[in-house]
Amino acid sequence: MPETKQSKRGISPKQVSNIKVVVLCVAAATTFWILNALNKEDYTTIVDYPIEFEFDQEQFMAVKPLPSSIEIEINGNGWDLLQKYFQVNVQPFVVELDRPAANDYLLTADVRRSLSEFISPTQLLNLGTDSLKFQIDPIRTIKLPPTLDSTSYSLGKNIRLLSNPTFEPNAITLKGPSSILDLYEGKFPISLDENRIDQNISKNIPLKISKELAEFVTLETEEIKVELEVVAFLEGNKRLKLKKVNFPRSVNLEEEEPIVMMYYLVDERKTDQLKDLEFEAVLNYSRRNKEDSTISIQVSPLPEFLDQVRVEPSSFKLIYGN
């Protein structure tokens, strides 16, 4: 009698065929059982049901992500519960807000009845939360004065701002939710993006919103002109004439015929005035330091157009005679 042909693993084609039949039978029985079970009533489960908020988006804006679902406990037909659990062809429940900025929450008890009707014939048993929290602000349009961001520019050596920056236009119009606009604290920062400035600047700057606020705020002013006036201070030095005031005859300086030098920065526009001035190193005995018998130098005159005035030496030691 001929032998039955074996597979490589020792299982005959007939045995393979029998296994397929068994698997198909089990699959069919399982499918029948599941379908039969799903057709039954009185199942209970908890699902995250999708929701949507509806409000006037021309007048209001959400500044935080709105809740996208609400946890509910429901009872009903197996098919209905399975569909809602996996959100297959499920329409979101719409929550209408007539005054969205009046509160930052909604009691779920206020929508329980309408939600129950919406998910019918499934029965609503319980709500998983007592409130839905959100932040929706009224949209406003405001005008803010521009201000120069001090970190966006630097001045060259011995360069000073002659006056406050000027802007054209002198106000910037923004539109967005109120709490986001409040973050500007009443002014709009302008980035100059200039380093080591050593001459007057007149620059047109495109305006933009920072990345973290761009989704909320829109600019109605696209560009601003910034003007800066600067002045250079020049380095200089002078030898000062020594002048003693209120000195008793018995008091002298420890150093005989001292040389006093003054070092300074001068406004470049005032150099001609500087030439006409006679500076003195004034030593007023009445202002001496009695503890260490020293006296400090005072420069006279000391005009406002001088800066970083330094005197060397800055003081002298006193000696007292008989």
Side-chain angles (χ1 to χ4, degrees):
M1 187 174 181
E3 295 182 358
T4 303
K5 188 176 182 180
Q6 300 287 320
S7 68
K8 291 182 179 180
R9 294 186 179 181
I11 301 177
S12 67
K14 184 176 181 181
Q15 290 174 316
V16 172
S17 178
N18 291 338
I19 292 173
K20 290 181 179 179
V21 172
V22 172
V23 170
L24 288 174
C25 291
V26 172
T30 302
T31 302
F32 177 78
W33 180 83
I34 292 174
L35 294 174
N36 186 56
L38 289 174
N39 282 322
K40 294 182 179 179
E41 303 290 335
D42 202 29
Y43 284 102
T44 299
T45 189
I46 295 175
V47 301
D48 286 325
Y49 198 85
I51 60 173
E52 287 183 359
F53 287 86
E54 189 174 276
F55 55 90
D56 186 350
Q57 297 191 19
E58 293 186 359
Q59 299 296 324
F60 300 92
M61 179 182 292
V63 296
K64 292 183 178 178
L66 296 172
S68 59
S69 64
I70 180 173
E71 185 182 89
I72 57 176
E73 184 180 9
I74 53 178
N75 177 272
N77 177 275
W79 282 109
D80 289 338
L81 267 60
L82 186 67
Q83 184 182 36
K84 289 180 173 60
Y85 186 86
F86 290 104
Q87 298 185 13
V88 178
N89 294 326
V90 172
Q91 295 297 318
F93 176 67
V94 177
V95 179
E96 295 184 1
L97 300 174
D98 295 329
R99 300 171 58 200
N103 295 296
D104 60 356
Y105 68 91
L106 174 70
L107 295 177
T108 52
D110 294 340
V111 298
R112 182 185 181 105
R113 180 175 178 179
S114 55
L115 176 59
S116 180
E117 293 174 354
F118 187 78
I119 64 173
S120 179
T122 305
Q123 294 181 342
L124 176 63
L125 300 180
N126 288 301
L127 297 167
T129 181
D130 59 357
S131 64
L132 297 171
K133 295 184 178 181
F134 51 83
Q135 184 177 348
I136 300 174
D137 288 356
I139 295 175
R140 294 191 293 133
T141 299
I142 63 172
K143 292 182 179 292
L144 295 180
T147 182
L148 199 59
D149 182 355
S150 60
T151 65
S152 69
Y153 72 95
S154 64
L155 299 176
K157 184 179 179 182
N158 298 334
I159 300 296
R160 306 284 189 271
L161 284 178
L162 188 58
S163 60
N164 292 329
T166 59
F167 303 93
E168 179 61 38
N170 58 11
I172 297 172
T173 304
L174 300 89
K175 184 178 181 180
S178 57
S179 65
I180 300 297
L181 295 179
D182 289 343
L183 296 176
Y184 287 95
E185 298 180 340
K187 54 189 177 182
F188 190 89
I190 304 297
S191 179
L192 189 59
D193 194 24
E194 294 284 348
N195 292 313
R196 300 183 180 276
I197 298 171
D198 59 4
Q199 58 185 350
N200 294 341
I201 284 182
S202 180
K203 184 177 182 179
N204 292 324
I205 300 176
L207 297 179
K208 58 183 179 181
I209 301 296
S210 60
K211 291 182 180 179
E212 61 270 19
L213 301 183
E215 63 177 300
F216 303 108
V217 179
T218 56
L219 274 169
E220 296 186 9
T221 307
E222 297 181 353
E223 188 177 76
I224 192 167
K225 183 180 181 179
V226 182
E227 292 187 344
L228 283 182
E229 285 189 279
V230 298
V231 60
F233 276 70
L234 308 177
E235 296 181 358
N237 63 80
K238 283 183 177 294
R239 181 174 176 174
L240 302 184
K241 180 182 178 181
L242 200 62
K243 180 180 180 180
K244 295 180 180 180
V245 178
N246 299 320
F247 264 67
R249 292 182 179 180
S250 59
V251 179
N252 291 296
L253 301 179
E254 186 178 55
E255 184 179 351
E256 295 182 1
E257 298 182 0
I259 296 176
V260 180
M261 295 296 299
M262 178 179 72
Y263 302 90
Y264 56 85
L265 296 177
V266 59
D267 185 332
E268 64 178 352
R269 301 166 301 167
K270 305 293 184 177
T271 54
D272 289 340
Q273 295 183 36
L274 183 65
K275 294 176 183 179
D276 298 332
L277 295 177
E278 292 290 337
F279 291 92
E280 293 179 322
V282 179
L283 298 176
N284 191 336
Y285 183 76
S286 301
R287 296 184 178 181
R288 71 192 183 281
N289 187 328
K290 296 180 181 181
E291 294 183 359
D292 60 7
S293 295
T294 60
I295 187 169
S296 297
I297 293 175
Q298 295 175 308
V299 177
S300 178
L302 193 58
E304 293 182 354
F305 55 77
L306 292 187
D307 192 18
Q308 297 184 19
V309 176
R310 175 172 53 88
V311 178
E312 292 184 2
S314 60
S315 63
F316 291 104
K317 186 75 174 179
L318 298 175
I319 56 174
Y320 299 89
N322 295 328

